Amino acid sequence: MPMAALEEIRSLYEGYWDEVARLRAQGKAADGLLGLGGGPASDACQDRFAAAVQEAFERLADLELPAGELQAVLEYVYRIPLEYRKDRVIFWMLLAVQGATLPLVEQLPAAQAALLLERYQKDYPPFERLPVQKKVCAALKSRARESG
């Protein structure tokens, strides 16, 4: 079974990482130092990525993906920030865009929502969660409680 949705999301993320890497390579040593502007953190690539991800998730929600493909997309989006914990620019952006997955969470079968919730809660302990992670947890909990 093709996973076109997952490949689309991976491609968006990889394009974002490539753009950040390009900006870093072209940047100055003092970019972003002491909270001053410059560098990838203040570049428009952040807004472009967030908008592209939001649009992609809305489009995927309209498609009503098969449950397995939906779960694969959400697992990817929820797990990938963990690989970038040391890269604060990318890490925070990947956390922020998790909120765009809420329309997809609403389509999850209860059993899959429960599995994703269990993993998500382990990956993002309560004391580390930002408001967006709290919303994702609440949405997953809601779906997990519903009968499939």
Side-chain angles (χ1 to χ4, degrees):
M1 165 183 184
M3 291 280 199
L6 180 57
E7 290 311 312
E8 176 185 350
I9 297 304
R10 278 188 177 154
S11 178
L12 276 174
Y13 278 57
E14 289 168 4
Y16 169 67
W17 299 324
D18 290 347
E19 182 70 7
V20 170
R22 184 187 64 76
L23 289 166
R24 285 182 171 146
Q26 293 175 349
K28 299 177 186 90
D31 281 349
L33 190 65
L34 301 174
L36 301 175
S42 61
D43 190 81
C45 74
Q46 304 296 336
D47 293 332
R48 285 192 305 270
F49 174 68
V53 168
Q54 180 75 37
E55 182 181 306
F57 289 139
E58 288 171 2
R59 189 174 56 260
L60 293 177
D62 289 343
L63 294 176
E64 297 186 15
L65 299 171
E69 191 169 4
L70 182 60
Q71 183 174 357
V73 167
L74 292 173
E75 283 175 350
Y76 177 79
V77 173
Y78 297 157
R79 299 279 307 157
I80 199 66
L82 302 174
E83 295 181 24
Y84 290 87
R85 279 194 185 269
K86 293 182 180 176
D87 186 325
R88 305 319 277 171
V89 172
I90 291 176
F91 177 70
W92 293 115
M93 177 54 68
L94 298 183
L95 290 181
V97 299
Q98 287 182 350
T101 65
L102 296 179
L104 297 176
V105 171
E106 293 172 10
Q107 297 177 9
L108 272 175
Q112 288 176 315
L115 290 172
L116 281 173
L117 174 63
E118 182 180 347
R119 184 64 182 250
Y120 196 86
Q121 289 175 319
K122 288 177 184 172
D123 290 341
Y124 303 102
F127 59 90
E128 290 182 7
R129 287 184 203 144
L130 299 172
V132 70
Q133 278 79 47
K134 291 175 185 176
K135 288 179 183 176
V136 170
C137 274
L140 288 169
K141 280 180 191 175
S142 177
R143 287 305 296 168
R145 282 194 298 262
E146 294 180 18
S147 60

